[in-house]
């Protein structure tokens, strides 16, 4: 079993330090292996490596409350009209203060969300959670029509020169790549629907149009762009192979690739 101190030393060796400032983490705790304190121990190691001025943030999405998510399509594909109506009625309502992160986000996201002093953005499908001195600035406003764009926490990660840590998670799960979609002409929009709690406390559906987000091209993209991520740092933390890279280079590299692959947007 790894101690918090061991993990913090490995994170520092990878490149985290008090100068890092903000790190967006995608984690597979299973890949990291057993850690004293479990997910709380991993978060403690991250905060130790970053120091008191550091902020840790993670994706805290809730696709279970959306009628237009890929997860929803997989669950409802074979339902008849009555079954679908019952399923929609039973769907969870998003509340940024109480809704747990989707299990698909991993245990560390939920650990951050439930840590005293943490904050969460308000988007009912693609929220982020963070703990540290920059949390409020990162998460203060998250418009419905900007899941992962310039006015979302991802846009602020870019502006703040943050880093992304793939802690045992593959680069194909790196959310910040999708900021490049918003900067690429020809990107499509689609209609979304999410179940959330209204101002009166009553569950209600909110429907809106926003960019059509799809990460299924990430594996193809990374086959050619991985070598361009020259500032990426690789190492091991616990048992996990990890990558630490700057958000700016990750997004800019993706945007250049998308410029030459309009077929991603159906063109």
């Amino acid at each position: 079993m790894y101690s918090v101190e061991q993990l913090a030393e490995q994170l520092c060796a990878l490149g985290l330090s008090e100068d890092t400032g903000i790190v967006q983490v995608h984690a597979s705790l299973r890949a990291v292996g057993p850690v004293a304190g479990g997910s709380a121990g991993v978060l403690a190691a991250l905060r130790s490596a970053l120091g008191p001025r550091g902020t840790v943030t993670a994706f805290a999405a809730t696709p279970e409350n959306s009628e237009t998510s890929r997860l929803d399509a997989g669950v409802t594909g074979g339902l008849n009209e009555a079954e679908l109506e019952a399923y929609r009625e039973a769907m969870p309502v998003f509340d940024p203060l109480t809704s747990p992160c989707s299990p698909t986000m991993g245990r560390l996201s939920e650990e951050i969300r439930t840590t005293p002093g943490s904050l969460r953005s308000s988007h009912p499908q693609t929220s982020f959670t963070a703990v540290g001195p920059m949390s409020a600035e990162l998460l203060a406003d998250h418009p419905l029509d900007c899941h992962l764009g310039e006015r979302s926490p991802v846009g602020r990660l870019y502006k703040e020169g943050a880093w992304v840590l793939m802690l045992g998670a593959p680069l194909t799960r790196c959310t910040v790549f999708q900021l490049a979609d918003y900067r690429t002409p020809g990107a499509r929009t689609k209609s979304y629907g999410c179940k959330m709690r209204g101002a009166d406390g009553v569950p209600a559906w909110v429907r809106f149009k926003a960019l059509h987000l799809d990460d299924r091209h990430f594996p193809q993209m990374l086959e050619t762009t991985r070598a361009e991520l020259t500032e990426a740092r690789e190492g091991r933390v616990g048992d996990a192979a990890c990558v630490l890279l700057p958000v700016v280079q990750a997004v800019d590299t993706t945007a250049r690739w998308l410029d030459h692959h309009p077929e991603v947007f159906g063109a």
Side-chain angles (χ1 to χ4, degrees):
M1 180 173 289
Y2 294 98
S3 68
V4 171
E5 293 74 20
Q6 284 175 308
L7 249 61
E9 289 176 5
Q10 292 173 328
L11 288 164
C12 289
L14 183 64
L16 288 187
S17 73
E18 292 189 356
D19 295 327
T20 302
I22 305 167
V23 64
Q24 163 80 12
V25 183
H26 294 270
S28 167
L29 299 191
R30 180 178 298 179
V32 173
V35 177
S39 56
V42 174
L43 179 56
L46 286 162
R47 299 185 76 180
S48 175
L50 290 170
R53 293 182 293 124
T55 297
V56 182
T57 181
F59 202 26
T62 48
E64 290 86 356
N65 80 311
S66 170
E67 65 181 3
T68 45
S69 67
R70 197 183 304 165
L71 185 149
D72 181 81
V75 172
T76 63
L79 300 183
N80 61 38
E81 187 174 342
E83 291 170 334
L84 181 60
E85 183 178 353
Y87 180 80
R88 293 276 184 259
E89 182 65 26
M91 283 176 73
V93 175
F94 177 74
D95 183 325
L97 296 178
T98 61
S99 295
C101 306
S102 171
T104 61
M105 295 298 101
R107 181 70 187 100
L108 186 63
S109 291
E110 184 67 1
E111 185 66 47
I112 295 171
R113 185 191 74 82
T114 57
T115 293
S118 70
L119 298 175
R120 188 187 201 174
S121 68
S122 60
H123 201 284
Q125 187 174 2
T126 55
S127 65
F128 285 72
T129 184
V131 61
M134 287 293 291
S135 297
E137 187 169 339
L138 289 172
L139 309 182
D141 185 37
H142 195 167
L144 286 173
D145 64 351
C146 195
H147 290 88
L148 304 172
E150 306 290 353
R151 293 173 293 133
S152 77
V154 180
R156 295 183 197 107
L157 290 171
Y158 184 96
K159 291 172 185 174
E160 293 295 333
W163 290 74
V164 175
L165 173 62
M166 308 307 294
L167 189 61
L171 271 173
T172 52
R173 299 291 301 275
C174 185
T175 304
V176 302
F177 288 145
Q178 303 220 251
L179 177 58
D181 290 9
Y182 292 79
R183 301 179 175 186
T184 305
R188 296 169 293 161
T189 60
K190 65 174 278 188
S191 296
Y192 290 88
C194 297
K195 194 174 184 181
M196 56 191 303
R197 199 173 303 284
D200 56 2
V202 177
W205 286 94
V206 58
R207 294 181 171 87
F208 54 95
K209 276 201 167 185
L211 202 72
H212 182 108
L213 294 171
D214 197 335
D215 59 7
R216 285 175 287 190
H217 61 281
F218 283 9
Q220 176 195 356
M221 176 189 75
L222 286 164
E223 285 180 6
T224 55
T225 62
R226 181 65 183 84
E228 297 178 40
L229 300 174
T230 55
E231 296 180 56
R233 306 169 186 179
E234 299 185 35
R236 299 195 77 82
V237 176
D239 297 334
C242 302
V243 179
L244 178 68
L245 69 158
V247 171
V248 169
Q249 187 175 72
V251 174
D252 290 352
T253 299
T254 303
R256 288 193 296 270
W257 185 86
L258 287 172
D259 283 341
H260 293 90
H261 293 81
E263 70 278 3
V264 168
F265 301 116

